[in-house]
């Protein structure tokens, strides 16, 4: 069984029309970069939105038995509620917390089952991964390894909607319904000038 780490944010509010959590002050990416393995190159790339107006950032892993596939399914369902023009302005990005098993090829194959527009981030430097997680108050821990070498990872299961400035404008906890995510994405896209 996997333990999911959640954050109870101080200074959170939802009185601005969003149904997810809006933090004050918000999380920001700063100048944080990670290796982008989406195309196989593995060049350092910023965590902020670059190829879209909004990047849905998530820390997880492909061997996750339930939380990650459920979350990515919910994101995919939320995106289907948007117009094609709105969908084109949103990209989903996953940062693996399990780089020993999640190669670039594995990550890309996994993400394409859930969403059309995605980015995959993977670093084998534990300190670099922890720095990226800290920008969002996130963390992870490896569970016990069984006799067959299998293990689970406990990890923060929030989805962060990050804009081109690197500001996390709204975040959603595990189990947030797709219509809530879609509602917030429409509002965020309305407030964000198309690129």
């Amino acid at each position: 069984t996997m333990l999911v780490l959640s954050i109870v944010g101080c200074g959170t509010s939802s009185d601005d029309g969003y149904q997810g959590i809006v933090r004050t002050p918000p999380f920001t990416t700063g100048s944080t970069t990670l290796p982008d393995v989406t195309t196989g190159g593995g060049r350092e790339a910023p965590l902020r939105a670059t190829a879209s107006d909004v990047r849905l950032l998530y820390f997880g892993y492909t061997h996750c038995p339930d939380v990650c596939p459920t979350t990515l399914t919910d994101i995919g369902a939320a995106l289907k509620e948007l117009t094609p023009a709105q969908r084109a302005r949103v990209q989903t990005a996953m940062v693996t917390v399990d780089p020993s098993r999640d190669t670039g090829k594995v990550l890309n194959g996994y993400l394409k089952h859930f969403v059309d527009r995605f980015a995959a981030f993977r670093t084998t430097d534990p300190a670099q991964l922890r720095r990226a997680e800290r920008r969002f108050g996130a963390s992870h821990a490896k569970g016990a390894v069984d006799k067959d070498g299998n293990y689970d990872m406990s990890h923060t299961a929030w989805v962060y909607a990050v804009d081109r400035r690197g500001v996390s404008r709204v975040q959603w906890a595990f189990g947030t319904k797709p219509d809530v995510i879609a509602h917030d994405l429409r509002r965020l896209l309305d407030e964000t000038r198309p690129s």
Side-chain angles (χ1 to χ4, degrees):
T1 305
M2 182 177 58
L3 169 70
V4 177
L5 306 174
S6 290
I7 321 161
V8 177
C10 299
T12 60
S13 71
S14 295
D15 56 0
D16 48 15
Y18 289 103
Q19 294 177 12
I21 300 297
V22 176
R23 291 182 55 90
T24 307
F27 290 127
T28 61
T29 63
S31 58
T32 306
T33 62
L34 285 174
D36 182 343
V37 295
T38 314
T39 58
R43 287 188 310 228
E44 294 285 325
L47 291 185
R48 61 181 169 78
T50 54
S52 59
D53 290 313
V54 176
R55 172 174 274 171
L56 302 181
L57 191 65
Y58 182 71
F59 294 88
Y61 69 116
T62 67
H63 283 72
C64 184
D66 41 28
V67 173
C68 297
T70 299
T71 298
L72 290 166
T73 297
D74 289 343
I75 289 173
L79 292 171
K80 285 181 178 145
E81 293 187 31
L82 304 181
T83 67
Q86 289 170 327
R87 275 197 301 276
R89 296 173 58 202
V90 181
Q91 181 194 63
T92 303
M94 181 164 148
V95 178
T96 181
V97 297
D98 186 20
S100 62
R101 293 185 292 189
D102 288 346
T103 63
K105 183 177 180 181
V106 168
L107 275 170
N108 283 286
Y110 183 74
L111 286 167
K112 74 178 182 185
H113 287 298
F114 300 100
V115 292
D116 295 327
R117 291 171 49 81
F118 61 85
F121 290 96
R122 174 184 182 267
T123 178
T124 54
D125 177 353
Q128 186 183 32
L129 176 56
R130 301 244 182 233
R131 282 195 301 273
E133 287 179 309
R134 277 199 300 270
R135 299 297 311 195
F136 296 90
S139 62
H140 73 277
K142 184 176 179 177
V145 181
D146 69 18
K147 59 182 174 51
D148 298 317
N150 300 312
Y151 56 90
D152 285 336
M153 305 286 289
S154 60
H155 63 95
T156 303
W158 289 88
V159 177
Y160 309 91
V162 180
D163 66 17
R164 284 179 170 267
R165 295 173 301 142
V167 176
S168 177
R169 302 284 297 279
V170 60
Q171 65 188 68
W172 305 282
F174 171 68
T176 301
K177 300 296 181 195
D179 61 324
V180 170
I181 297 172
H183 167 277
D184 287 353
L185 282 174
R186 285 189 206 98
R187 183 175 184 86
L188 182 51
L189 290 168
D190 283 347
E191 293 176 1
T192 309
R193 182 177 302 155
S195 56

